[in-house]
Amino acid sequence: MVRNFEQINRMFNPQSIAVLGVSAQGFGFGRGILHSIMSVGYEGRLYPVNPKGGEVFGLEMHPSVEAIPEDIDFAIIAVPAPAVPAALEECRKKGAAGAEIISSGFSELANEQGEELDRQIREIAAKGIRVLGPNCFGIYCPKSGLTMAPGGDFPRKTGPVALLSQSGGLSIDFVSMARWRGFNFSKVVSFGNGCDLRETEMLEYLRHDPDTQVICMYVEGVEDGREFFRVLRQTALEKPVIILKGGLSESGGRAVASHTASMGGSDKIWKAALNQCNVVVAETLKDMADAALAFTFLPRKAYKGMTIVGGGGALGVHGADMAELAGLATPLLREDLREQIHAILPKPGSSANNPVDIANPFTPPRIIKETVMLASQDEAIDLHLIIQLLYMYKANVGIMNAKDVTEIIPLQDFISEYRKAHEKAGKPIVLALPNNRQERESMEVEGIIREARYGLTEAGIPIFDQVKDALQAVAAISRYTERRQAMLG
Amino acid sequence: MVRNFEQINRMFNPQSIAVLGVSAQGFGFGRGILHSIMSVGYEGRLYPVNPKGGEVFGLEMHPSVEAIPEDIDFAIIAVPAPAVPAALEECRKKGAAGAEIISSGFSELANEQGEELDRQIREIAAKGIRVLGPNCFGIYCPKSGLTMAPGGDFPRKTGPVALLSQSGGLSIDFVSMARWRGFNFSKVVSFGNGCDLRETEMLEYLRHDPDTQVICMYVEGVEDGREFFRVLRQTALEKPVIILKGGLSESGGRAVASHTASMGGSDKIWKAALNQCNVVVAETLKDMADAALAFTFLPRKAYKGMTIVGGGGALGVHGADMAELAGLATPLLREDLREQIHAILPKPGSSANNPVDIANPFTPPRIIKETVMLASQDEAIDLHLIIQLLYMYKANVGIMNAKDVTEIIPLQDFISEYRKAHEKAGKPIVLALPNNRQERESMEVEGIIREARYGLTEAGIPIFDQVKDALQAVAAISRYTERRQAMLG
């Protein structure tokens, strides 16, 4: 189905890259992407091209693509729009499997000149070179060391998530949001106006890509709806597909036209079609990142019953309410377990019913671990949500005569006890780790939260900002799994 | 209508306070609240009570309430539950207008002993002393220097927002969330089990309180639904009331019973009743804080049309979509203004349609200010949303050869230009200021974001984390204002 799986593979894993439109000075896109690729540590051969020759970042500039001393696998084109077709043709002649065109000034301008340039690009692509863009940020592929500009500090660590996006800025954002959530990428592809390669073919490629287990997409418009939804349905049966659809409103649709020259399409039709394909629909980019985190960290099953364990009665109440909205139950625990949990909780103020109220946010992590281990024995429980209010320690600095909050938060205890719970409870754990102390004067609390998030994520526990975020993400897995089973009959 | 407005006022503004149940050492609640009140800088007279006498934080302990050398205005009771009724009776005899009972171990235990203690407290209250609690955190009143434990570092700055909450932990959280959002409080009241003073009477009090302009409530259950909704409807006609209702789900309702001994009630009935009263319903505490921020900072009007100004095409598209979902339009700007805006925007990649795409997140703040000033001339525009991606600068540190990101973000420019825009545009500005770089290694970005938030908030511009948060909050004002006008006929 993919016109040429191997050819696209070569684009993602090039041994040699030409970068066209690199200025020796300044902050142009061509120079920016060259810098980014070098910073990320790409190990292949890089050929910057500038008719004036000279040097950039210690590399020799080549006066033309033709002058490069070998055939190239991939080209990054950042010359002004009118010069793009000729540049692309040069790259094709030089044997490139594909090119990404970073330049903007094409059909998104909605004028004749722009349309004509797009048409010329398509003509050249039809002769064999595959094209991403124009008006895009191209490829980030940590395995091969290919990255976007700005993406010079993107991680080289690979992971199971792919992103397919019409927007470059959104791709940058999504990679940024992934890095502290703790999931990594197989491939990120921004295809902008999508003159040649775009949603359907790339989705089919990712469906076959063994490195990709979860597919995220930002879609503004599609070229061939029928074909797209056919491939989407097939793909979603094999791998979860999470989609953020932009331009469903009237003015959003108008913005889409000037952004990537796409048609937004009707809200209702889109929602119905995505639902039929068993797509996980995200309302915001943050929701998409949270869902990708959950799908990366948690086993795919239909979660039904859960415990909510945390300090603060109201947060437990809120958690149970949000769980029910998300289709998850918080059932009363089995009586014998309830008694055992009640015995270890601080008193008064605690409750061993589910939600489990641990009385106050300073309850030792060991007790929370034991609570989770006990609750795991209940057959009605599939998952545990711990609500951890680390920032609450800040208020105790004064009365405990501490230097600062880092002195009184047993951070390593939390990490090691929860790691044990994760390893031994036999049921997945997710954490809500909000920071409600974000004033300028409490940066040290943020530091602790980030250390905790890092340590717990490394231990295999997915961390969410808010209770609602965690529950929505878990619910997405349940729905996806159940519907997939039903569709497979 | 309030049984005794002046008496309740005396509770909030006491000249003398007895604190019962203060241990000389350790981390008990009584000692904690005394420490908090002293830290906040309460200027009245404080009388810690402990039968053993001795000293605490340099204050003399009194062996009993009776032994205090003057009558008291207010009492804070933190003795064990069985000793509470006798302690309360002592305070009543000592002339106290009211007391807050911090201790837990009452009707929330759902046993006979707990119920009996509650009954005794009600009996004593009926003789004239007004009671908050038991099982509560009591009062935070920055004007008088009264605070909760833990709340020893709560601000003394007063503001127009009141919070009325059955949960103490949630009160602490809400004050924490307010402080970096930049709004402040007239009064915060946590009333726990609510043996005497509770939702209806306190709401009526806040309705008459000249220091309170916005009322937030966390409600688990109400004592007298008919009377509560009558007062609520009346209050919401005068001041916006934002409510987070806990315990609407089955298991949430069960949690409510063991948290504050309340009945959760039916989801549908609650929603319908709150809607009839024109209450702003918050789904999460974060939503309530965002709504309170908007009501504090923005004029109350029915916002219809808005501009969305920001870097990144997809974010503009997303903003327009979210705006429409929230009932706000993002209309195409008047042609002459569009032309003028287009003339000042960087090219290519920008768009002067609405949403206004500023091409990249590094567009100088002066250009954004001018865009906003121009767009303000369009009669269809009531409000501006600026989406500011400060964290994007981080990726430029390498290519710009900067020491770190603080060197390349024109932070003071942003603050001063947006301040000018706020002062001169004649239409309100709200900002979405997300931080998508929350990895451990980018703490300096967080530092900048917090400085920006502080500076802009000081300038009168409300700041939200996410685009959706900002739009939901603005939409809440529109809906409230329109419905209020309709109800007033």
Side-chain angles (χ1 to χ4, degrees):
Chain A
M1 184 26 229
V2 183
R3 245 207 280 168
N4 198 328
F5 188 88
E6 283 315 317
Q7 185 173 354
I8 298 177
N9 251 348
R10 217 176 120 219
M11 293 173 69
F12 280 106
N13 300 284
Q15 300 300 307
S16 56
I17 305 174
V19 187
L20 287 71
V22 178
S23 50
Q25 301 294 331
F27 304 107
F29 262 113
R31 194 165 176 274
I33 195 159
L34 182 66
H35 187 274
S36 290
I37 292 174
M38 292 173 75
S39 303
V40 155
Y42 169 75
E43 292 93 357
R45 296 172 300 281
L46 274 171
Y47 299 110
V49 176
N50 185 323
K52 296 179 204 151
E55 256 198 21
V56 62
F57 307 129
L59 292 177
E60 184 198 342
M61 294 266 219
H62 296 265
S64 67
V65 175
E66 208 190 340
I68 294 171
E70 62 164 333
D71 269 12
I72 54 169
D73 285 330
F74 189 57
I76 298 172
I77 300 180
V79 299
V84 163
L88 182 64
E89 176 64 12
E90 270 200 87
C91 297
R92 189 188 68 80
K93 288 188 181 151
K94 202 67 179 173
E100 58 183 41
I101 302 172
I102 312 296
S103 327
S104 58
F106 297 84
S107 60
E108 80 278 8
L109 298 181
N111 64 24
E112 244 176 73
Q113 195 202 349
E115 302 283 357
E116 170 59 19
L117 288 169
D118 267 25
R119 205 190 48 73
Q120 289 177 27
I121 291 168
R122 264 191 298 272
E123 248 176 45
I124 299 163
K127 291 196 262 174
I129 186 172
R130 303 309 306 268
V131 174
L132 286 169
N135 186 27
C136 78
F137 279 7
I139 295 171
Y140 162 53
C141 179
K143 200 175 184 178
S144 71
L146 206 51
T147 194
M148 308 174 162
D153 65 346
F154 279 6
R156 281 301 293 269
K157 202 170 165 185
T158 61
V161 180
L163 172 70
L164 198 49
S165 167
Q166 271 177 285
S167 160
L170 183 141
S171 307
I172 301 286
D173 264 341
F174 198 66
V175 176
S176 301
M177 291 163 96
R179 97 195 269 167
W180 46 275
R181 278 179 175 78
F183 65 88
N184 291 283
F185 293 94
S186 57
K187 273 113 191 159
V188 173
V189 187
S190 133
F191 60 85
N193 295 8
C195 266
D196 176 31
L197 280 171
R198 47 185 301 150
E199 61 283 343
T200 306
E201 206 170 350
M202 289 310 303
L203 184 60
E204 182 76 15
Y205 171 80
L206 293 173
R207 180 186 150 209
H208 288 99
D209 177 27
D211 293 337
T212 298
Q213 302 310 323
V214 178
I215 301 171
C216 297
M217 289 185 79
Y218 172 68
V219 181
E220 294 195 341
V222 296
E223 201 172 37
D224 177 345
R226 184 182 296 263
E227 181 63 4
F228 173 68
F229 284 112
R230 193 189 65 73
V231 172
L232 181 58
R233 189 183 157 93
Q234 183 60 41
T235 307
L237 278 177
E238 298 171 28
K239 302 173 180 182
V241 182
I242 308 162
I243 292 187
L244 173 62
K245 172 68 180 79
L248 289 178
S249 67
E250 195 192 314
S251 46
R254 196 178 61 236
V256 150
S258 60
H259 182 222
T260 56
S262 298
M263 295 294 292
S266 138
D267 190 8
K268 279 188 193 154
I269 294 173
W270 264 95
K271 283 192 180 149
L274 292 176
N275 183 47
Q276 271 178 18
C277 295
N278 194 23
V279 159
V280 177
V281 178
E283 197 185 30
T284 66
L285 192 62
K286 184 173 176 296
D287 291 347
M288 187 153 82
D290 286 336
L293 172 65
F295 272 106
T296 307
F297 275 66
L298 300 174
R300 288 178 204 160
K301 63 173 282 185
Y303 298 99
K304 301 281 186 196
M306 65 186 302
T307 59
I308 298 177
V309 183
L315 255 178
V317 170
H318 175 68
D321 286 349
M322 291 292 112
E324 191 171 285
L325 275 181
L328 293 156
T330 319
L332 200 62
L333 292 172
R334 219 172 63 200
E335 198 179 347
D336 60 319
L337 300 170
R338 224 152 65 213
E339 277 169 16
Q340 291 177 69
I341 291 169
H342 189 252
I344 59 172
L345 289 177
K347 278 162 222 73
S350 61
S351 162
N353 294 340
N354 189 13
V356 176
D357 185 342
I358 59 169
N360 69 70
F362 316 115
T363 298
R366 186 185 48 75
I367 292 180
I368 299 171
K369 177 197 71 188
E370 283 171 22
T371 298
V372 162
M373 305 279 283
L374 283 165
S376 270
Q377 296 176 34
D378 191 324
E379 282 176 14
I381 299 302
D382 301 316
L383 178 107
H384 307 287
L385 168 66
I386 300 175
I387 307 174
Q388 188 67 54
L389 310 182
L390 285 185
Y391 62 86
M392 281 280 189
Y393 281 87
K394 171 87 177 183
N396 288 0
V397 169
I399 195 159
M400 296 188 73
N401 257 319
K403 194 171 53 61
D404 62 42
V405 73
T406 58
E407 221 178 281
I408 55 175
I409 297 186
L411 178 62
Q412 293 313 319
D413 265 16
F414 275 113
I415 295 172
S416 64
E417 294 291 337
Y418 289 0
R419 178 190 286 271
K420 279 182 223 157
H422 170 69
E423 285 165 2
K424 293 180 188 163
K427 294 185 177 164
I429 295 170
V430 301
L431 233 98
L433 186 65
N435 184 6
N436 288 340
R437 300 284 315 238
Q438 295 186 34
E439 65 272 14
R440 290 185 304 168
E441 300 75 15
S442 293
M443 286 295 286
E444 80 289 5
V445 176
E446 182 69 28
I448 293 263
I449 297 266
R450 293 189 183 184
E451 287 299 329
R453 193 199 285 131
Y454 181 82
L456 293 165
T457 304
E458 286 283 294
I461 301 172
I463 311 293
F464 300 85
D465 257 9
Q466 304 286 335
V467 168
K468 186 183 166 186
D469 301 336
L471 292 167
Q472 276 188 346
V474 169
I477 300 181
S478 297
R479 266 197 312 275
Y480 171 76
T481 311
E482 275 188 316
R483 293 206 47 211
R484 179 173 176 272
Q485 280 159 358
M487 287 164 87
L488 290 172
Chain B
M1 187 22 232
V2 182
R3 243 205 283 168
N4 198 329
F5 188 87
E6 282 315 317
Q7 184 172 358
I8 298 177
N9 251 349
R10 214 175 122 221
M11 292 173 70
F12 281 106
N13 300 285
Q15 300 300 309
S16 56
I17 306 176
V19 187
L20 288 71
V22 178
S23 51
Q25 300 295 328
F27 304 107
F29 262 114
R31 194 165 176 273
I33 194 157
L34 182 66
H35 186 274
S36 289
I37 292 175
M38 292 174 74
S39 303
V40 155
Y42 169 73
E43 292 94 358
R45 294 172 302 282
L46 274 171
Y47 299 109
V49 175
N50 185 322
K52 295 179 205 149
E55 255 198 21
V56 63
F57 307 129
L59 293 177
E60 184 198 343
M61 295 266 218
H62 295 264
S64 65
V65 174
E66 208 190 337
I68 294 172
E70 62 165 332
D71 267 12
I72 54 171
D73 284 330
F74 189 57
I76 299 173
I77 300 180
V79 300
V84 163
L88 181 65
E89 176 64 13
E90 270 201 86
C91 297
R92 187 188 70 79
K93 288 189 182 150
K94 202 70 178 170
E100 58 185 42
I101 302 172
I102 313 293
S103 326
S104 58
F106 296 84
S107 60
E108 80 279 8
L109 297 181
N111 62 25
E112 243 176 75
Q113 197 202 346
E115 303 284 355
E116 169 59 20
L117 289 169
D118 268 25
R119 203 190 50 73
Q120 291 176 27
I121 291 169
R122 264 192 299 271
E123 247 177 46
I124 299 163
K127 291 195 261 175
I129 184 171
R130 303 308 308 266
V131 174
L132 286 169
N135 186 27
C136 78
F137 279 7
I139 295 172
Y140 161 53
C141 179
K143 199 175 184 178
S144 71
L146 206 50
T147 192
M148 307 176 164
D153 65 347
F154 278 5
R156 281 301 293 270
K157 201 170 167 186
T158 61
V161 180
L163 171 70
L164 197 48
S165 167
Q166 272 177 284
S167 161
L170 184 140
S171 307
I172 300 286
D173 264 341
F174 197 66
V175 176
S176 302
M177 290 162 96
R179 97 194 266 167
W180 45 277
R181 279 179 176 78
F183 65 88
N184 290 285
F185 292 93
S186 56
K187 273 113 191 160
V188 172
V189 186
S190 133
F191 60 85
N193 296 8
C195 266
D196 176 33
L197 279 172
R198 47 185 303 149
E199 61 281 343
T200 306
E201 205 170 349
M202 289 310 301
L203 184 61
E204 182 75 17
Y205 171 79
L206 293 172
R207 181 186 148 207
H208 288 99
D209 178 28
D211 293 337
T212 297
Q213 302 311 323
V214 179
I215 300 171
C216 296
M217 288 184 80
Y218 173 67
V219 180
E220 294 196 340
V222 295
E223 202 172 36
D224 177 347
R226 183 182 297 265
E227 180 63 4
F228 173 68
F229 284 111
R230 193 189 63 73
V231 172
L232 181 58
R233 190 184 158 91
Q234 183 60 41
T235 308
L237 278 177
E238 297 171 28
K239 303 174 180 182
V241 182
I242 308 163
I243 292 187
L244 173 62
K245 172 70 180 78
L248 289 177
S249 67
E250 196 192 312
S251 46
R254 198 177 60 238
V256 150
S258 59
H259 182 223
T260 55
S262 298
M263 295 294 293
S266 141
D267 190 7
K268 277 188 194 153
I269 294 173
W270 264 93
K271 283 193 181 145
L274 292 176
N275 183 49
Q276 272 179 18
C277 295
N278 194 23
V279 160
V280 177
V281 177
E283 198 186 28
T284 67
L285 192 62
K286 184 174 175 296
D287 291 346
M288 187 153 82
D290 285 336
L293 172 65
F295 272 106
T296 307
F297 275 66
L298 300 174
R300 286 175 205 162
K301 64 173 281 186
Y303 298 100
K304 300 280 187 198
M306 65 186 302
T307 59
I308 298 177
V309 183
L315 256 179
V317 169
H318 174 66
D321 285 350
M322 291 293 113
E324 191 172 285
L325 274 181
L328 294 156
T330 320
L332 201 61
L333 293 172
R334 219 172 64 201
E335 198 177 348
D336 60 320
L337 300 170
R338 223 153 65 214
E339 277 168 18
Q340 290 176 71
I341 291 169
H342 189 252
I344 58 172
L345 290 176
K347 282 165 219 64
S350 60
S351 163
N353 294 340
N354 189 14
V356 176
D357 186 343
I358 59 168
N360 69 70
F362 317 115
T363 298
R366 186 185 46 77
I367 292 181
I368 299 171
K369 177 197 69 187
E370 282 170 22
T371 299
V372 162
M373 305 279 283
L374 284 164
S376 270
Q377 298 175 33
D378 191 324
E379 282 177 14
I381 298 301
D382 301 316
L383 177 105
H384 308 288
L385 169 66
I386 300 176
I387 307 174
Q388 188 66 52
L389 310 183
L390 286 186
Y391 62 86
M392 281 279 190
Y393 280 87
K394 170 87 178 183
N396 288 2
V397 169
I399 195 159
M400 295 188 75
N401 258 319
K403 194 170 55 59
D404 62 41
V405 73
T406 56
E407 220 178 281
I408 55 176
I409 297 186
L411 178 62
Q412 293 313 321
D413 266 16
F414 275 113
I415 295 173
S416 63
E417 294 292 336
Y418 290 180
R419 178 191 287 272
K420 280 181 224 158
H422 169 68
E423 285 164 2
K424 292 180 189 164
K427 296 190 175 160
I429 295 171
V430 301
L431 231 97
L433 186 66
N435 184 5
N436 289 339
R437 300 283 316 237
Q438 296 186 34
E439 64 272 14
R440 290 185 303 168
E441 300 74 17
S442 292
M443 285 295 287
E444 79 288 6
V445 176
E446 182 69 29
I448 292 263
I449 298 268
R450 293 189 185 185
E451 287 299 330
R453 193 199 287 129
Y454 181 82
L456 293 165
T457 304
E458 286 283 295
I461 301 173
I463 311 292
F464 300 85
D465 256 9
Q466 305 286 333
V467 168
K468 186 183 164 186
D469 301 336
L471 293 168
Q472 276 187 346
V474 169
I477 299 180
S478 297
R479 266 197 312 276
Y480 172 76
T481 311
E482 273 189 317
R483 292 207 49 211
R484 179 173 176 273
Q485 280 158 359
M487 286 163 87
L488 289 173

